[in-house]
Amino acid sequence: MKRFAVVGHLAVTSGTFSLNDLPGSGGRMDVLCRSVNSSFFLSHDLRRDVECYLILCGEPGPEKTVLFRGAGVRHLSPDERSSAALIKKALSIPCGDEFRESTPGVYVRRGGLSRLLAEIPFAVLDEAGEDVRAAPDLPENYLLSDHHNFTAEEEASIAGYPRYSVGPRSLHADHTITVLLNEMDRRES
Amino acid sequence: MKRFAVVGHLAVTSGTFSLNDLPGSGGRMDVLCRSVNSSFFLSHDLRRDVECYLILCGEPGPEKTVLFRGAGVRHLSPDERSSAALIKKALSIPCGDEFRESTPGVYVRRGGLSRLLAEIPFAVLDEAGEDVRAAPDLPENYLLSDHHNFTAEEEASIAGYPRYSVGPRSLHADHTITVLLNEMDRRES
């Protein structure tokens, strides 16, 4: 299983955001929607061996985590509005301490990064990390940030984690996932 | 200059499509919007050395080409709706035989693939092509198709063109652009 977790620093935790204004009313929810797209879509196929965790840290709080599982996800189209609609639905159901399924393959629970870090051994995608092309072996699980850098508190919680880079330019989270999956595809083929 | 041209086989040529339904009312305009995103966006920066041509072949016709120039584009945000709004605006102004600027850095003209092929020497992105990582030199200009394969007529018009692949899996057009730009970034760094 490959896992990507993206921290949405401003991403709202309520399902009341507008599908017509993902950047504004969603707290840059568009970044997370594109990360879902990058995690799963192949041409005329879905990557069933991927999970994508969206860590929503915005208003009104407290933090929630939305999980897309490639193995079971349905009703997901490539456009941003499609994944946004599934996130909106997940944020509209009662949120408990354990993952609860809101639509097929999409889940939501309370808690954010610290909880996820206690469960899954992540590597961090970071421009200063080791080039993924040069790494002898690649981890399965990766943590990324949205358009904001990790906060000081987040950085403290991931100090010492292995760090990888996908190249010489600083890319958006979704583009980083695409490049990384291409490297993994090549190693598996 | 790097150039990407994406054929939108169903993409509408009228500015009356709904920003709330890019896949349906826009004729999979979402694919083209994501290709614009992939062509230009870096983290907190834009690729000023890229041009992106969108070839709109859908209803009501006749074909139009919308051009985004990185050197001059403004008002472009990463979300699909942002590029869609600029496309909608381009499709709403009178369309002539030469490129006319609709908003800063965005242009529209009559004509489609055959006209563009007569002007720019493109390579074709194709799963059966030469691996971009193995190619001694990479071309500057690339032609891609949307979610549909090139038609028989289009294939006839690009017969003999150099063909390149970005890896073992068949990817969406926007993901292909992202992987290709990563390879170009690495060669330039």
Side-chain angles (χ1 to χ4, degrees):
Chain A
M1 186 67 68
K2 306 177 181 88
R3 294 180 186 88
F4 300 105
V6 187
V7 179
H9 289 97
L10 303 176
V12 298
T13 60
S14 158
T16 57
F17 68 89
S18 167
L19 294 177
N20 298 339
D21 181 20
L22 301 178
S25 79
R28 292 308 306 276
M29 195 66 81
D30 62 304
V31 179
L32 303 186
C33 294
R34 286 193 299 280
S35 297
V36 169
N37 169 301
S38 293
S39 295
F40 295 111
F41 281 97
L42 290 164
S43 188
H44 308 292
D45 202 1
L46 277 183
R47 296 180 184 271
R48 297 296 180 184
D49 63 340
V50 174
E51 293 180 348
C52 183
Y53 295 80
L54 309 178
I55 302 168
L56 314 177
C57 307
E59 298 295 328
E63 295 177 350
K64 292 182 182 176
T65 299
V66 173
L67 163 62
F68 283 71
R69 285 198 172 119
V73 72
R74 294 184 59 183
H75 314 306
L76 179 64
S77 294
D79 59 302
E80 287 170 16
R81 196 180 175 95
S82 168
S83 44
L86 297 181
I87 294 168
K88 189 174 165 78
K89 172 74 177 173
L91 297 181
S92 300
I93 69 168
C95 186
D97 281 331
E98 304 307 320
F99 277 120
R100 182 178 301 176
E101 195 167 26
S102 49
T103 53
V106 184
Y107 308 80
V108 63
R109 75 174 186 191
R110 286 197 203 100
L113 180 62
S114 59
R115 185 171 174 192
L116 199 59
L117 292 180
E119 297 167 338
I120 298 174
F122 282 104
V124 177
L125 281 160
D126 178 335
E127 296 124 58
E130 179 182 8
D131 186 347
V132 291
R133 286 201 192 179
D137 297 294
L138 286 178
E140 288 189 317
N141 311 316
Y142 296 87
L143 178 68
L144 303 93
S145 188
D146 61 359
H147 62 300
H148 286 313
N149 291 332
F150 291 115
T151 64
E153 185 184 352
E154 288 162 355
E155 280 289 358
S157 71
I158 56 176
Y161 279 49
R163 294 192 177 230
Y164 293 88
S165 153
V166 297
R169 308 293 294 262
S170 179
L171 304 183
H172 283 204
D174 60 309
H175 297 170
T176 301
I177 291 171
T178 297
V179 173
L180 180 54
L181 282 169
N182 178 256
E183 177 63 28
M184 295 170 117
D185 287 343
R186 288 170 172 273
R187 292 178 182 226
E188 290 168 11
S189 77
Chain B
M1 186 67 69
K2 306 177 180 89
R3 294 180 186 85
F4 301 105
V6 188
V7 179
H9 289 97
L10 304 176
V12 299
T13 60
S14 158
T16 57
F17 68 89
S18 167
L19 294 177
N20 298 340
D21 181 21
L22 301 179
S25 78
R28 293 308 306 275
M29 195 65 79
D30 61 305
V31 179
L32 303 186
C33 293
R34 286 193 298 281
S35 297
V36 169
N37 169 302
S38 292
S39 296
F40 296 111
F41 281 96
L42 291 165
S43 187
H44 308 292
D45 203 1
L46 277 183
R47 296 180 184 272
R48 298 296 180 182
D49 63 339
V50 174
E51 293 181 349
C52 182
Y53 294 80
L54 309 177
I55 302 168
L56 314 177
C57 308
E59 297 296 330
E63 296 178 348
K64 292 181 182 177
T65 299
V66 173
L67 163 61
F68 283 71
R69 286 198 171 119
V73 71
R74 294 184 60 182
H75 315 306
L76 178 64
S77 295
D79 59 303
E80 287 170 16
R81 196 180 174 94
S82 168
S83 42
L86 297 182
I87 294 168
K88 190 175 165 79
K89 172 74 178 175
L91 297 180
S92 301
I93 69 168
C95 185
D97 281 330
E98 304 307 321
F99 277 121
R100 182 178 302 176
E101 194 168 27
S102 49
T103 53
V106 184
Y107 307 80
V108 64
R109 75 174 185 191
R110 286 197 202 100
L113 180 62
S114 58
R115 184 171 176 194
L116 199 59
L117 292 180
E119 298 167 337
I120 298 175
F122 281 103
V124 178
L125 281 159
D126 178 335
E127 295 123 60
E130 179 183 10
D131 186 345
V132 292
R133 285 202 194 179
D137 296 293
L138 286 178
E140 287 189 319
N141 311 316
Y142 296 88
L143 177 69
L144 303 93
S145 188
D146 61 359
H147 61 300
H148 286 314
N149 291 332
F150 291 114
T151 65
E153 185 183 351
E154 288 162 356
E155 281 290 359
S157 71
I158 56 177
Y161 279 49
R163 295 193 178 230
Y164 293 88
S165 153
V166 298
R169 308 294 293 265
S170 179
L171 304 183
H172 283 205
D174 60 309
H175 296 170
T176 302
I177 292 171
T178 297
V179 173
L180 180 54
L181 282 170
N182 179 255
E183 177 63 27
M184 296 170 116
D185 287 343
R186 288 171 172 274
R187 291 178 182 226
E188 290 169 11
S189 76

